[in-house]
Amino acid sequence: MWNLPGAPSDVMVHAGFLNMWGQSSMRANMTAALGALAARYPGAGLAVAGHSMGAALAHFCALEAKAQLGVQRVSAGHRFAHLGPEVWERLGLKVWGRLGLQV
């Protein structure tokens, strides 16, 4: 488990998924596309989806969309991200609550 960058020091996330999100072109591509969409459609919401590993990465995408890109309405709950492996320590869920993300 690793500390989540920008989060309180007691918030830990799964190292492999964080590394995959942070080191892949997926993050750069997603944040560029979401940033452009957020600028074009201010106030629009975002729902991310994924299954298994994709669900884990969808959670990082949702967090970044909210915290870094300023997307106001973000949902990455169990309704959309199915059968994802455990990404967060229990304390990590508090970050979602503070940001107003739907879990």
Side-chain angles (χ1 to χ4, degrees):
M1 300 299 277
W2 286 352
N3 290 98
L4 180 63
S9 62
D10 58 352
V11 174
M12 305 291 284
V13 296
H14 188 281
F17 294 121
L18 180 61
N19 189 47
M20 185 179 293
W21 172 251
Q23 301 300 319
S24 72
S25 61
M26 179 189 310
R27 178 180 184 218
N29 291 338
M30 291 299 295
T31 55
L34 291 173
L37 287 170
R40 185 170 181 179
Y41 303 103
L46 171 69
V48 297
H51 172 75
S52 192
M53 180 174 57
L57 298 175
H59 285 103
F60 286 114
C61 179
L63 181 64
E64 187 140 356
K66 179 72 174 187
Q68 302 297 327
L69 301 176
V71 176
Q72 295 302 307
R73 294 179 296 129
V74 179
S75 176
H78 294 292
R79 294 169 293 186
F80 300 110
H82 298 289
L83 299 174
E86 186 174 330
V87 177
W88 306 95
E89 288 281 329
R90 293 192 189 277
L91 291 171
L93 294 174
K94 291 180 182 178
V95 171
W96 286 72
R98 282 187 227 135
L99 290 173
L101 289 164
Q102 298 175 14
V103 180

